[in-house]
Amino acid sequence: MYDPLQAGHRLARRSAAWQAGTTALLALMFLLQGVPHALSALVGGASMLAGGAVAARLMVGGGVQAAAGVMIRWFAGAVIKWVLVVVVLALGLLLWRLPPVPMLLGVIVSLVAQMLAMSRR
């Protein structure tokens, strides 16, 4: 029997696994330039991973609801995800003084991995 809520949970887990894997590979590549660059790439990818986890929990965690409730949960998840990403990136840049380019590449690689994971069957 097909359960769309279970399918959403599987998709979220698969997306998180792809994001974590690509972020780890990027950090290993930046390790050649030094630990701060590798850490910066990890922070960028981890911000997307954490934001995606929070958004997934909000978006598919509510069970079966009316369409208005689903749309509110979806919108709230998307907004909270991007607020969390911006806050983590700001902490990385301003508080921890990490290099910005690897951090931005971590976000981009994580986003691409998320899109690829969600587009595959």
Side-chain angles (χ1 to χ4, degrees):
M1 181 174 187
Y2 178 72
D3 182 8
L5 294 178
Q6 188 63 20
H9 289 290
R10 277 193 311 272
L11 181 61
R13 283 192 301 272
R14 183 175 62 221
S15 175
W18 278 53
Q19 285 178 305
T22 55
T23 299
L25 285 175
L26 182 69
L28 284 174
M29 289 180 6
F30 272 112
L31 195 56
L32 297 173
Q33 287 188 320
V35 174
H37 286 80
L39 185 60
S40 181
L42 280 176
V43 167
S47 70
M48 287 301 299
L49 189 60
V54 170
R57 174 70 68 185
L58 280 171
M59 290 176 181
V60 297
V64 177
Q65 294 181 351
V70 171
M71 290 303 295
I72 290 170
R73 292 178 70 83
W74 181 85
F75 185 72
V79 168
I80 290 172
K81 171 184 179 173
W82 286 106
V83 167
L84 180 64
V85 168
V86 169
V87 166
V88 171
L89 293 180
L91 285 173
L93 289 173
L94 301 174
L95 185 63
W96 302 320
R97 304 278 186 213
L98 294 173
V101 173
M103 195 178 310
L104 182 60
L105 284 175
V107 170
I108 291 169
V109 165
S110 186
L111 272 173
V112 170
Q114 180 183 15
M115 289 188 310
L116 288 174
M118 290 185 163
S119 66
R120 298 189 72 187
R121 287 263 172 193

